[in-house]
Amino acid sequence: MGQRLANKVAVITGGASGIGAESVRLFVSEGAKVVIADLQDEAGAELAESLGDAAFYQHCDVTSEDQVAAIMEAAQSRFGRLDAVFHSAGIVGAVGPIATTPANEWQFSIDVLLTGTFYAMKHASKIMAEQGSGSIISMASTAGILGGLGPHAYTAAKHGVVGLTKSVATEVAGKGVRVNCIAAAAMATPMVANVLTGDPNDIAGAERLLAEGSPLRGRPGLARDVANAALWLASDDSGYTTGHTLTTDAGITVGATTDGPEFAERQPIMREAGKSGLD
């Protein structure tokens, strides 16, 4: 246990379970005071109680601008400042072919995944700009970099998160505020476990399935992997990094596979019109 976030105050949305909860525990272990924001009141309150004075829970629906603003203000009023926001709240959202996606499901997905991110950036940046420092971190996805890795609304929203991260980073850099996002592959969390196994509590089953398909042979993606990325972006160790999309994906977005690339074996140089060799 280190102190990479000593004397820092953080807000973590979606902090009652999955990646958010893992990040809450890690941030506290590294010295931070944390506001846990979520819709899951019982789980959030239990997590806060287990961490003592280092954390407290506040209900937050990220589709409500007033509630998102309130959690940022709560951090400042309770702890005196706001140094880091990790906006990890999210859902899978609308699933299915584009021709049969209901408009209301599309809109709700965008409201949670993209508009909620906008609210978090908007209200965190206000406080941080006045301080002259701060780090805003959002959950993007490998589906925000490549197509075909997620449902349509999810993919569109996560592409939006990547773009919004770059845009806001350019605005607030001069005020000492950094804005980055994390593009994670499928990680062994309750949300992913529910998709893969039908049981949100079957984390072990999700780990097994993810390990089988991982480019890093036998190594599944874990909630702690994303939490570690968020810790680095929240800490002063990343103090010269902004506008960046940090991947935690075992190389999926660069084409990594367990078997390696097609041209991994040594062959004579291949030239024009079917010729090979240098002679």
Side-chain angles (χ1 to χ4, degrees):
M1 184 172 67
Q3 289 292 297
R4 295 167 72 182
L5 299 181
N7 303 314
K8 291 187 183 293
V9 175
V11 166
I12 299 180
T13 67
S17 65
I19 289 168
E22 188 71 16
S23 300
V24 168
R25 297 186 190 96
L26 181 59
F27 278 35
V28 168
S29 75
E30 292 285 342
K33 303 290 187 183
V34 180
V35 179
I36 304 166
D38 208 303
L39 290 172
Q40 303 174 82
D41 293 337
E42 184 176 349
E46 287 179 0
L47 178 58
E49 184 177 1
S50 73
L51 296 170
D53 294 339
F56 76 93
Y57 173 75
Q58 183 159 317
H59 181 92
C60 180
D61 177 348
V62 298
T63 67
S64 166
E65 182 171 8
D66 289 344
Q67 291 185 32
V68 173
I71 59 171
M72 307 302 174
E73 293 163 2
Q76 189 177 40
S77 62
R78 179 80 169 255
F79 298 123
R81 56 186 299 110
L82 177 60
D83 299 291
V85 169
F86 180 26
H87 179 57
S88 70
I91 59 173
V92 174
V95 177
I98 190 70
T100 58
T101 299
N104 58 350
E105 290 188 8
W106 166 275
Q107 189 60 61
F108 182 75
S109 303
I110 297 298
D111 287 345
V112 174
L113 295 166
L114 182 55
T115 306
T117 303
F118 160 69
Y119 292 153
M121 288 185 182
K122 176 180 177 178
H123 292 284
S125 66
K126 286 181 181 179
I127 295 172
M128 292 175 177
E130 291 179 359
Q131 286 177 175
S133 65
S135 174
I136 301 171
I137 308 152
S138 301
M139 276 303 300
S141 169
T142 51
I145 300 174
L146 299 175
L149 297 181
H152 299 309
Y154 186 87
T155 298
K158 294 304 185 179
H159 271 73
V161 170
V162 171
L164 189 61
T165 294
K166 295 176 181 179
S167 184
V168 177
T170 65
E171 177 191 340
V172 299
K175 300 172 183 177
V177 182
R178 299 184 295 112
V179 186
N180 297 285
C181 63
I182 301 170
M187 317 302 278
T189 64
M191 188 170 77
V192 171
N194 188 57
V195 172
L196 294 179
T197 73
D199 180 358
N201 297 312
D202 189 10
I203 302 300
E207 288 184 7
R208 182 179 65 257
L209 292 171
L210 291 171
E212 291 173 359
S214 173
L216 290 170
R217 192 181 300 273
R219 170 64 156 86
L222 306 174
R224 178 54 67 104
D225 294 318
V226 181
N228 281 331
L231 170 63
W232 183 72
L233 290 171
S235 75
D236 294 338
D237 292 345
S238 61
Y240 206 59
T241 299
T242 194
H244 180 58
T245 301
L246 176 61
T247 59
T248 55
D249 70 347
I252 289 171
T253 52
V254 294
T257 66
T258 54
D259 296 328
E262 181 179 353
F263 295 105
E265 298 298 324
R266 172 74 176 91
Q267 301 177 42
I269 185 171
M270 301 177 75
R271 296 174 54 187
E272 71 283 357
K275 295 182 180 179
S276 62
L278 292 177
D279 297 328

